[in-house]
Amino acid sequence: MRLLIIGSLNGQIGAASQIAMSRGAKVSQVDDIEMALGSLRSGKGADMAMIDVNLAIKSLVDSLANERINLPIIACGVNTDATAAANAIRAGAKEFLPLPPDPVLIAAVLEAVAQEDSRLVFADPAMKNVVDLAEQIAPSSASVLINGETGTGKEVMASYLHSHSNRSDKPFVCVNCAAIPENLLESELFGHEKGAFTGAIARRIGKFEEANGGTLLLDEISEMDIQLQAKLLRAIQEKVIDRVGGTKPVPVDIRIIATSNRDLAEAVAEKTFREDLLFRLNVVTLKIPPLRARKIDIDVLSKHFAKKYSEANGLEPRMVTDEAMAKLQLNPWKGNVRELENTMHRAVLLCQGDAITAEAILMPDGSSTPDTANGSAGQSSTASDRNAGDAGLVGRRVADVEKDLILNTLDHCLGNRTHAANILGISIRTLRNKLKLYSGEGATVPMAGSEYRYTAQV
């Protein structure tokens, strides 16, 4: 993990740096916010920043947002009162860390905020086959395509590949192609020169150059515009990129890992994805099976998350009862590991006593989880059920019914666009266009929440 320390921190910076480095972090330091922005623009990159609480944290957070630099901020201070710490959080810091530094606390913050754990929890033979193949190909520089439903852990698998590769001591840089608007993704990938477009206030090094020598993860690559795909193909083939507004090509040496929750062969047939790019990307394809096809992993992961969130909330370990496990095994887990993790986190908080019972396995709204025992996991509804549902639909416009369905699904997914699009069976781009339309009509659109992902350990 790359840690950027901003400010002098009253002489405690040396101690904090040493502790972070002893925990495996690569540390760099700058004196002020302008130097920090300059470092990030230059492509040095960082996975997390620790900043003196007395500096203008909101100014840094706003500048990062304006330049689309995603960087968790930890505020630090010596003998800082509660008001200053609270103000730092309100300004956009994720955490406050008191100084002098405590080794255990710094380690916990590094793990909690950076979430840089590439280890996997699995026991099912279906998943073991995938991991065995990943370990076999990891040392090579071959491009890899990771395919699987949303929430199966594609990004974790990509991180696992990098950590077992010959590039593990070099940067691992991620780009979510579905989360960045089309007109900005080219600049995000390839960088830009000052004045290349409105808002380009300084030269910005793109993710290709930031990942030089290491691994670049192109998450949900199927959402990339087909015109940009042509430029990506050239970058992969010729190992050079052109910054937006630049005058000469820049050489790069990276390994490409791409993920998709769609069948890219179908996207090629639909002419939304270039066939030649697909050939370049899938030298090896890792297909991660859905959680419902990994019954043993449901057991293993449920217990892992119960332990993880018991510890995270300062509770005694919560055991999973046989009745609760039976209910978990019946759930179809459309959101896969991500949904299971959220469910177990909720169960830890809701359970009575030191055991997680079936009553604690609930949906976000407090309703019981669906299961195949009562027919709610994809079995046909009865005629009376259908008639009851039709009563609320007859006489309504299709567009209005669709609008309610999309907004309710998004609300159920806590604003997670990718998860909602997967459940609805539409592309993330289609979902965004629908939400833009609804927002323009005055509808309340759920805000995007955290892009949950699971990180675990063997």
Side-chain angles (χ1 to χ4, degrees), residues 19 31 54 134 215 219 333 344 372 391 405 417 422:
I19 292 171
D31 291 333
N54 295 310
T215 303
D219 200 19
W333 299 117
M344 294 311 298
T372 53
L405 174 63
R417 269 69 171 157
N422 185 59

Side-chain angles (χ1 to χ4, degrees), residues 157-344:
M157 178 61 76
S159 181
Y160 186 83
L161 272 171
H162 173 74
S163 67
H164 286 71
S165 74
N166 297 330
R167 299 169 179 259
S168 58
D169 61 337
K170 301 297 183 182
F172 176 66
V173 177
C174 306
V175 181
N176 188 333
C177 300
I180 301 172
E182 291 176 19
N183 61 324
L184 299 178
L185 185 55
E186 180 178 358
S187 170
E188 192 75 14
L189 289 173
F190 304 129
H192 61 254
E193 298 291 345
K194 181 178 179 179
F197 51 83
T198 302
I201 60 175
R203 170 188 279 187
R204 167 84 181 279
I205 298 302
K207 298 301 184 183
F208 265 81
E209 290 181 80
E210 185 179 331
N212 196 33
T215 303
L216 177 63
L217 170 61
L218 300 174
D219 200 19
E220 301 303 347
I221 195 171
S222 59
E223 301 302 323
M224 182 181 291
D225 180 75
I226 197 162
Q227 293 182 345
L228 184 54
Q229 291 174 27
K231 296 181 180 180
L232 174 61
L233 178 63
R234 174 178 179 267
I236 296 174
Q237 288 182 157
E238 302 182 18
K239 296 185 177 180
V240 296
I241 57 101
D242 295 305
R243 297 194 195 111
V244 179
T247 57
K248 61 180 182 179
V250 179
V252 290
D253 171 27
I254 59 173
R255 182 188 199 175
I256 296 288
I257 299 177
T259 73
S260 176
N261 60 12
R262 296 181 59 198
D263 185 336
L264 291 185
E266 291 182 3
V268 169
E270 296 167 359
K271 301 189 183 304
T272 60
F273 201 84
R274 292 179 63 106
E275 186 175 34
D276 48 4
L277 177 57
L278 176 58
F279 291 152
R280 279 287 175 180
L281 292 173
N282 70 342
V283 175
V284 179
T285 297
L286 297 177
K287 174 71 175 178
I288 301 182
L291 186 58
R292 58 185 172 275
R294 298 154 46 191
K295 294 295 186 180
I296 298 176
D297 283 351
I298 294 176
D299 184 296
V300 172
L301 286 165
S302 297
K303 293 173 181 177
H304 166 75
F305 290 134
K307 181 176 183 293
K308 172 182 175 179
Y309 287 109
S310 294
E311 293 176 352
N313 289 281
L315 304 171
E316 291 296 318
R318 278 10 186 186
M319 307 305 294
V320 182
T321 65
D322 292 342
E323 292 78 11
M325 186 58 69
K327 187 173 184 180
L328 291 167
Q329 291 285 354
L330 287 171
N331 194 300
W333 299 117
K334 293 181 179 179
N336 291 290
V337 178
R338 183 180 298 154
E339 183 184 1
L340 175 62
E341 179 174 9
N342 294 340
T343 298
M344 294 311 298

Side-chain angles (χ1 to χ4, degrees), residues 20-39:
M21 286 189 288
S22 71
R23 301 288 174 167
K26 295 179 180 179
V27 179
S28 58
Q29 185 268 335
V30 294
D31 291 333
D32 56 39
I33 289 173
E34 280 305 313
M35 292 178 67
L37 292 171
S39 175

